[in-house]
Amino acid sequence: MGEAKRREKLALTQALEAMAVDTPGGRIHVQWGHTASASPNAQLTFFAEFLATTGLYESWVDSCPLSYSSPNAPSKRDVLGICKRSTNPRLSKMD
């Protein structure tokens, strides 16, 4: 019984430490709040990692017909990232 409690405590400690999540926008460090009951953006980070890992985001960017010729124009990736962010009502405001 003591060994099981030690393993449970170790698992809890590891869950509370910051995790590195690779997303199309770069690496994000996620740490669970000890007292927070919910977070509006936490699951979005893991969804972004899913899109990056499966290649869905890359295929979406590649299949997009946007084309800019100005040297000051943003990249398709940036435009689509802002578009995706603005469609989520929780993320439409810049934090």
Side-chain angles (χ1 to χ4, degrees):
M1 180 99 157
E3 189 67 29
K5 285 184 180 181
R6 251 186 257 129
R7 270 188 256 149
E8 182 180 321
K9 187 175 179 179
L10 178 62
L12 181 60
T13 302
Q14 289 174 340
L16 295 176
E17 292 176 0
M19 296 184 298
V21 180
D22 292 318
T23 67
R27 182 168 276 198
I28 296 176
H29 295 274
V30 177
Q31 185 171 3
W32 300 110
H34 302 127
T35 58
S37 58
S39 171
N41 299 331
Q43 298 305 318
L44 185 65
T45 304
F46 296 104
F47 181 63
E49 180 183 40
F50 166 76
L51 291 177
T53 303
T54 59
L56 290 172
Y57 190 76
E58 277 302 317
S59 67
W60 184 48
V61 171
D62 292 340
S63 67
C64 179
L66 282 177
S67 171
Y68 296 112
S69 58
S70 169
N72 296 329
S75 68
K76 277 198 298 189
R77 176 180 300 283
D78 291 342
V79 172
L80 293 174
I82 291 170
C83 176
K84 183 67 178 158
R85 183 178 171 94
S86 68
T87 59
N88 185 334
R90 291 184 176 178
L91 299 176
S92 60
K93 298 179 209 169
M94 293 295 203
D95 297 327

